[in-house]
Amino acid sequence: MSGKASTSGIWRARISDERLSSCTQSPYELLRPRMDDILGDGGILKEVIQPGEGPPVPQNASVIIHYSGFLEYSDQPFESTTNMKYPRMMKLGRDVTLAGLELGLLTMKKGEFSRFLLQPQYAYGEMGCPPLIPSAATVLYEVQILDFLNSGQVDEFIAMCPEEQNAAPFATLLEVVATVRSFGNRCFNQSRYDNAKDRYKQAVMLLENRDTDYEAEKEKIKAALLPLFLNLCLTELRLDSPHKALKYGSKALGIDSTNTKAFFRCGQAYLELQEYERAQGCLINAQAKKPFDSDINNLLRKVSICYKESLDKEKDMYSKMFREPKQPVKMSPSDSGEGLCSRTVDSSVCLKGKCRM
């Protein structure tokens, strides 16, 4: 499957082919024999179209999914996310309101595409949801898991007091930080830079609040902080805050004094601030690590051009500033006393028709 869940055309086409040999069964009746009963009561049936990979979705996770919901004899979904470029992240137990859909998601893995046939008690109940969903309706959902994050673990950790967080296993802290950073990356990729920044800063706070006497843990904390500082530096650049970007770039260099990304992003920030000499210095350091990197070389070329233009403008400005303009002065008859002096003089005094320099 592609990045989006299928439309009704796939399952409707398959059902149509089978109905040629059986006109007495409805579309859903034709689907049921090849579906698995995940609860044992017939309320939620599942068919895996494309298997996923890794562990199943955990309890209270946040999921990113494409889904479409269908009534039995409808060719069009009554709801769908397939036209959304960035489907929103949905938290189980809060944003996913159908019990059958939530239970079905807990059986899925990342990348999996499946169909779920939900009986009314696991869908919209006896009342339905007029005018779209009639009463006591059985509904079909096509679902693809794009990604999920174990936000339940994050919620539990954040709810702890500082002392409890500090007493938690170090491995748990690193898992929580990795999940929060993944949230930030998801927001960044959707151009939600303020949200991304908040997530990255939250992860930084969790790491910096950890009190440990073990050198190995201190080194792991530094290793986890480095990509967060780099991400914050880039995020502040996207938010047009070069001064803040420099702050995080400097922190990254404080952990790894030869980090190419940190030098490159500091170079970007200095360029935005029109501090071309410093930008050039950062980019030369980055180029020394990656001499054939096109992004570094192109930005360094741009900085060199801007630096030269800046120096030329500065030179021209000082040249004009210290140049003494010569403005000729003509003496009027009233200023010359007796007699007239028509001579044009520069810095001279004319007294009674006699010019004296």
Side-chain angles (χ1 to χ4, degrees), residues 15-27 29-30:
I15 294 302
S16 297
D17 292 340
E18 294 184 22
R19 290 189 67 182
L20 293 175
S21 59
S22 175
C23 297
T24 60
Q25 292 181 291
S26 70
E29 288 173 338
L30 290 169

Side-chain angles (χ1 to χ4, degrees), residues 28 31-32 35-39 41-47 67-72 78-79 96-105 107-108 114-126 133-143:
Y28 286 175
L31 276 176
R32 286 190 178 94
M35 304 183 85
D36 297 320
D37 187 349
I38 66 175
L39 294 180
D41 62 356
I44 305 175
L45 302 181
K46 176 183 179 181
E47 179 186 15
Y67 65 90
S68 297
F70 302 94
L71 297 174
E72 188 166 20
F78 57 81
E79 66 170 341
V96 180
T97 56
L98 290 188
L101 185 55
E102 181 171 356
L103 291 170
L105 287 168
T107 69
M108 298 184 72
S114 292
R115 296 192 185 100
F116 296 95
L117 199 58
L118 309 180
Q119 294 300 311
Q121 66 270 28
Y122 292 101
Y124 295 92
E126 294 299 320
I133 314 296
S135 60
T138 299
V139 296
L140 175 77
Y141 271 89
E142 295 182 330
V143 184

Side-chain angles (χ1 to χ4, degrees), residues 79-285:
E79 66 170 341
S80 179
T81 65
T82 57
N83 293 325
M84 296 175 62
K85 183 178 181 181
Y86 299 119
R88 71 187 183 96
M89 187 170 285
M90 303 172 68
K91 185 168 178 60
L92 299 183
R94 185 185 68 194
D95 302 319
V96 180
T97 56
L98 290 188
L101 185 55
E102 181 171 356
L103 291 170
L105 287 168
L106 292 174
T107 69
M108 298 184 72
K109 301 177 180 180
K110 184 177 178 179
E112 179 181 330
F113 176 80
S114 292
R115 296 192 185 100
F116 296 95
L117 199 58
L118 309 180
Q119 294 300 311
Q121 66 270 28
Y122 292 101
Y124 295 92
E126 294 299 320
M127 296 293 293
C129 187
L132 293 177
I133 314 296
S135 60
T138 299
V139 296
L140 175 77
Y141 271 89
E142 295 182 330
V143 184
Q144 184 178 27
I145 294 278
L146 303 178
D147 198 2
F148 66 83
L149 297 172
N150 191 359
S151 56
Q153 184 186 36
V154 173
D155 294 339
E156 292 174 4
F157 194 87
I158 297 298
M160 295 179 182
C161 67
E163 292 77 13
E164 290 173 328
Q165 290 181 1
N166 203 57
F170 187 72
T172 300
L173 169 66
L174 295 181
E175 289 174 4
V176 168
V177 167
T179 301
V180 174
R181 182 186 168 205
S182 295
F183 271 111
N185 292 344
R186 176 65 59 174
C187 294
F188 185 92
N189 292 334
Q190 296 178 0
S191 301
R192 293 160 49 203
Y193 300 123
D194 283 313
N195 292 334
K197 181 175 71 172
D198 290 341
R199 292 292 188 175
Y200 296 145
K201 291 177 71 174
Q202 183 183 43
V204 168
M205 181 188 68
L206 292 174
L207 288 168
E208 292 183 336
N209 286 347
R210 183 74 177 197
D211 185 17
T212 179
D213 295 324
Y214 298 104
E215 288 301 321
E217 290 187 356
K218 290 180 180 179
E219 290 302 315
K220 289 181 179 179
I221 288 175
K222 287 182 180 179
L225 282 170
L226 179 59
L228 289 167
F229 287 145
L230 291 172
N231 289 352
L232 279 165
C233 182
L234 182 58
T235 303
E236 294 292 2
L237 286 171
R238 293 288 189 273
L239 290 170
D240 296 323
S241 300
H243 284 104
K244 292 181 180 179
L246 280 173
K247 179 183 76 172
Y248 292 115
S250 298
K251 287 187 175 185
L253 288 171
I255 296 174
D256 180 2
S257 61
T258 63
N259 190 274
T260 306
K261 285 185 178 179
F263 277 126
F264 178 72
R265 290 171 187 173
C266 285
Q268 289 178 298
Y270 279 125
L271 174 60
E272 293 296 321
L273 294 170
Q274 298 182 4
E275 296 187 29
Y276 303 120
E277 188 172 2
R278 290 186 176 184
Q280 196 173 54
C282 288
L283 293 171
I284 288 173
N285 283 328

